[in-house]
Amino acid sequence: TYLYFNSISVIGMGKGSLIAYTYPIFAAIFTTMMGGEKMTVRKAIWVAVAFAGMVLLLGDKIGENGFAVSKAEALGLLGALLSGMAVAFVKKLHETDSTYAIFFAQCMGGFWIMILPATYAGGANGITAGAMLVGVGLLAAAGQLTMTESYKTLPVTSGSLLTMLTPVFSTLIGVIALGELVTMQTIVGGLIVMGACVAILLGDRAPT
């Protein structure tokens, strides 16, 4: 989460969100490695397609500067990888623990990791800023709880890929509300990644 927030502050909400929400691909891989779900040939092909889309998504103006990935993009991708690993762990933990216990552990871990950086980083003061921070916390908690609960019954790949609407809305908000510029290369790469993710989702839901 920290790496996601850090990346969007540098490269923008649209591209940062598209990179962060490549995590379902990593979730599918890690869950297969942990023995939770089977990696079929069809799913493996779509994972490969998604990685091809990520090359376009991450490459900054391929053909002019070569294949250049900025530090913020690399950190965002690392955050996506760690998020995919966390989702796989959540699915595994549901075999022994409740949604609330898992979420409590996530909150406590995040609290102790970030308490000192948050204290000394400074920032805006006042009632408005405080209310916005509380609102962010409440919305994030509600979203995390509903996502964690969904993994009780959904395969990790399906549950994760349903969240692919998030980068779509984030990109639109970034362009419309924040005036961000999104290159055609970023759009094409993002569409390839999301299309591959949707294909995996539809494959998981298809009767066998």
Side-chain angles (χ1 to χ4, degrees), residues 60-169:
D60 183 22
K61 298 180 180 179
I62 296 176
E64 296 181 16
N65 303 321
F67 183 75
V69 179
S70 69
K71 180 180 177 181
E73 291 172 338
L75 289 176
L77 186 61
L78 175 61
L81 186 148
L82 294 175
S83 294
M85 186 183 297
V87 168
F89 286 152
V90 167
K91 181 67 175 180
K92 188 71 175 177
L93 283 169
H94 266 307
E95 298 175 4
T96 55
D97 296 276
S98 69
T99 297
Y100 301 106
I102 296 170
F103 184 58
F104 178 76
Q106 289 177 300
C107 290
M108 289 302 295
F111 177 81
W112 290 112
I113 290 172
M114 299 307 301
I115 183 171
L116 289 179
T119 301
Y120 292 103
N125 297 314
I127 296 177
T128 302
M132 290 180 67
L133 288 172
V134 171
V136 168
L138 291 175
L139 289 172
Q144 184 65 50
L145 275 172
T146 52
M147 185 186 76
T148 304
E149 181 70 17
S150 72
Y151 289 138
K152 276 186 175 180
T153 54
L154 285 175
V156 165
T157 306
S158 297
S160 298
L161 296 176
L162 285 172
T163 66
M164 292 306 292
L165 286 174
T166 301
V168 175
F169 290 127

Side-chain angles (χ1 to χ4, degrees), residues 5 9 17 20 31 35 42 62 78 114 118-119 135 159 164 166 178 197:
F5 289 168
S9 68
S17 296
T31 306
R42 181 184 182 279
I62 296 176
L78 175 61
M114 299 307 301
T119 301
M164 292 306 292
T166 301
L178 304 178
C197 291

